[in-house]
Amino acid sequence: EVQLVESGGGLVQPGGSLRLSCSASGYIYSNKCMGWFRQAPGKEREGVAIIYSRGGNTYYADSVKGRFTIALDNAKNTVYLQMNSLKLEDTAAYYCAAEHIPLGGNCPTEYYEYHVWGQGTQVTVSS
């Protein structure tokens, strides 16, 4: 069984930075997509940043391009999300997710296409 555990959330002022971590343990797919999703109250869960474990291709939501960076440390089975220039609208519960992808495939960007999830970590941007 694959386990994903997020950490690094907290309270930060607008313009500040946070780095989220997602550590994977147990049996995991060697070729997989790992991503960060977020969900604010009353809103649908949305993909924020996604990375493919082998090719390193990335996806970013338009709302976070230039501010967020996703990185994967395969040796540590850990994916990070560096969040800079945080805005009030970034406030949400952030979730890590993983999905097996065949070699040569592309990472999905919708939350319902992922089947392994972490417990979530809250990010609150407030002055």
Side-chain angles (χ1 to χ4, degrees):
E1 181 181 358
V2 179
Q3 301 275 357
L4 301 178
V5 180
E6 304 98 327
S7 63
L11 176 64
V12 65
Q13 293 184 338
S17 299
L18 284 174
R19 189 176 79 157
L20 306 182
S21 298
C22 172
S23 179
S25 62
Y27 299 102
I28 61 175
Y29 296 110
S30 58
N31 49 307
K32 61 186 179 292
C33 296
M34 297 193 70
W36 289 96
F37 296 76
R38 67 185 181 187
Q39 188 167 24
K43 298 188 66 177
E44 190 173 77
R45 189 169 300 186
E46 63 174 344
V48 176
I50 301 166
I51 189 168
Y52 186 51
S53 63
R54 295 207 173 188
N57 294 334
T58 57
Y59 160 85
Y60 293 96
D62 288 340
S63 60
V64 307
K65 286 181 179 177
R67 300 189 298 119
F68 291 10
T69 303
I70 189 170
L72 175 64
D73 187 333
N74 280 309
K76 295 183 178 180
N77 289 318
T78 300
V79 63
Y80 305 93
L81 184 67
Q82 178 66 47
M83 304 185 294
N84 298 324
S85 302
L86 284 162
K87 304 176 180 180
L88 296 178
E89 53 264 40
D90 294 319
T91 296
Y94 283 71
Y95 298 88
C96 178
E99 182 66 36
H100 167 70
I101 299 294
L103 291 175
N106 296 316
C107 288
T109 58
E110 300 294 334
Y111 75 92
Y112 51 80
E113 297 178 283
Y114 289 77
H115 297 91
V116 180
W117 292 87
Q119 84 288 352
T121 185
Q122 179 68 35
V123 172
T124 301
V125 184
S126 176
S127 60

